[in-house]
Amino acid sequence: MGTRIITDSAGDLRAEEIRENKIIELPIVILVDEEEFYENDTILKSEVYDRILEGKEVKTAQITLHSFFKAFEEVAQSGDSCIYVSLSSKLSGTYNAACMAKEEIIAKYPDFDLTIFDSKSVSYGQGCMAKRAAQLAQEGGSKEEILELLAFYRENMQILFTVGTLEYLYKGGRLSRTSAVLGGILGIAPVLGVVEGEVVPVSKQRGVKKAWRKMTELVREAQSGVLPFCVLGNSGSNEDEDRFRAFAEKQLEEKDLDVILPGAAIGAHTGPGVQAIFYVTEEEPKRSDG
């Protein structure tokens, strides 16, 4: 008996990361002009941005109770314990749906050891937690040790990002029409962060390059020595990715930074052109067994 890790596709893990770490990933529901798709299953992350650029209305919906129940039942029948690493409860109803599904599965399998863990994060912040939890599970870590590790990452994971246009923040109700128009005229590029599971404004800069600079300055201010973990996100063009990576590597004095594509959990609300930094400033605590 061991511990299985379940997460959802909002964590933006690559297919090989899911496979290698034996993670069960549930696809979030994506509505394109009300037509239903499942992320990484019936629609790719890149295709989500294609639909947005085509002018289609793209929204996300929470994972159904039935989907959760099926995934939980698979683990319950195996005899393993389980941890579901959820997208932030303050950004989606998915966490609450998982909690409701837990009540149903425990009623059928009362001995099933299931924990619903609110990552208070999104995209690769959430994905990193699920990946490290799964790696520790494969190394033989106990469920208690895995939950301690998850708590460390939830406390220390930081996310900063900027957007290529204010249009989608306005459409999503996060920005007034006046602010969007004035911001577009003035070339304002907001720096946003995720704090206690919520997206919050951090700074306003004149132009994307200055937003990148502000983000890297904040990372440098927060780090103690080298960065234990740093991954970039980009949903702009390939040229945007190359420029952003080169800029971040120079400013942070890092080499060969990985770049992931943020999925629909972010893209449906921000549109294309997002650049993000996911980072941890503290070293991961060592296990007591060395």
Side-chain angles (χ1 to χ4, degrees), residues 152 155-160 202 213-230 251-252 254 277-283:
F152 163 81
E155 178 70 22
N156 292 283
M157 177 63 68
Q158 306 290 322
I159 303 175
L160 294 169
V202 175
R213 186 173 299 279
K214 183 63 176 179
M215 290 195 296
T216 55
E217 286 175 356
L218 290 170
V219 174
R220 288 202 310 271
E221 289 171 7
Q223 73 184 94
S224 53
V226 298
L227 281 171
F229 172 86
C230 185
Q251 297 298 314
L252 299 175
E254 295 281 335
I277 305 178
F278 308 89
Y279 64 104
V280 174
T281 58
E282 297 293 330
E283 293 282 356

Side-chain angles (χ1 to χ4, degrees), residues 111 126 130 194 200-201 208 223 252:
D111 295 329
Q126 169 195 347
V194 178
V200 298
V208 172
Q223 73 184 94
L252 299 175

Side-chain angles (χ1 to χ4, degrees), residues 121-197:
S121 191
V122 66
S123 190
Y124 209 73
Q126 169 195 347
C128 169
M129 295 184 204
K131 180 179 175 179
R132 283 298 296 124
Q135 288 171 338
L136 181 52
Q138 291 194 85
E139 292 166 7
S142 68
K143 187 180 180 187
E144 291 71 24
E145 288 176 317
I146 296 169
L147 288 171
E148 287 177 6
L149 185 64
L150 283 168
F152 163 81
Y153 275 101
R154 180 166 62 187
E155 178 70 22
N156 292 283
M157 177 63 68
Q158 306 290 322
I159 303 175
L160 294 169
F161 65 100
T162 190
V163 298
T165 172
L166 301 176
E167 175 186 356
Y168 299 96
L169 292 177
Y170 160 66
K171 286 182 177 179
R174 293 187 176 274
L175 200 65
S176 71
R177 180 63 179 168
T178 301
S179 295
V181 170
L182 286 175
I185 293 171
L186 296 173
I188 297 297
V191 174
L192 305 166
V194 178
V195 178
E196 286 297 310

Side-chain angles (χ1 to χ4, degrees), residues 21-32:
N21 295 290
K22 300 181 180 179
I23 296 169
I24 299 171
E25 183 186 70
L26 298 177
I28 63 172
V29 180
I30 300 171
L31 301 175
V32 180

